[in-house]
Amino acid sequence: MDIKEFLSESRAVSPVIGVILMVAITVILAAVIGTFVLGLGDQVGDTAPQASFSFDYNSTATNVTVTHESGDAIATGNLNISVSSDAGATVTTYDGGDGQMNAGDSFEVDSGALSSGDTVRVIWTSESGANSATLQKYTYNN
């Protein structure tokens, strides 16, 4: 066999490239279909907002003033306040005028008399209800 003829021979190149491309396309399709089947694509938009809150407890009025200090604006329908106490939990939903909890907004929660160790939590729940996160918590210590 002549070396020139051997180097110019390209019969096997096309089938090898074709097989490699078919395997790559199959792997990509399997990954895309698997993502949709497992529902991983639905959770991309369900990340918790980044926000900071401050808490001020008024023991004479037995309420907690929660103030959104900084961070993302949060739809008020996705925001709940949970107060744990010996009597159980009281949940209050913030209902603002514009439907958003923005930096500087505050609201009062009728918490009842808090005992040392009771916790007030600001809880965010996604639109779909699939995800929730505690954005900030306050533990009362007298």
Side-chain angles (χ1 to χ4, degrees):
M1 178 178 259
D2 189 18
I3 291 181
K4 275 186 167 182
E5 185 181 327
F6 178 72
L7 293 176
S8 66
E9 191 72 34
S10 62
R11 285 187 303 188
V13 173
S14 182
V16 170
I17 291 175
V19 168
I20 291 172
L21 288 175
M22 290 302 289
V23 169
I25 290 170
T26 304
V27 168
I28 291 170
L29 282 175
V32 169
I33 292 170
T35 302
F36 284 114
V37 168
L38 296 175
L40 299 176
D42 297 340
Q43 297 175 357
V44 172
D46 287 348
T47 56
Q50 299 296 313
S52 178
F53 294 89
S54 65
F55 300 87
D56 184 29
Y57 176 63
N58 183 345
S59 60
T60 56
T62 66
N63 64 13
V64 176
T65 303
V66 181
T67 305
H68 184 280
E69 293 292 328
S70 63
D72 299 333
I74 304 167
T76 57
N78 299 349
L79 194 62
N80 290 315
I81 306 298
S82 171
V83 181
S84 67
S85 63
D86 292 336
T90 303
V91 178
T92 304
T93 302
Y94 172 77
D95 187 18
D98 64 350
Q100 294 284 321
M101 182 75 171
N102 299 305
D105 290 349
S106 63
F107 57 96
E108 292 184 358
V109 178
D110 185 14
S111 61
L114 293 179
S115 302
S116 185
D118 286 345
T119 304
V120 179
R121 287 183 173 84
V122 177
I123 301 170
W124 169 84
T125 306
S126 66
E127 293 282 335
S128 65
N131 293 336
S132 66
T134 299
L135 299 179
Q136 192 102 26
K137 75 177 184 175
Y138 162 75
T139 302
Y140 175 70
N141 294 315
N142 55 351

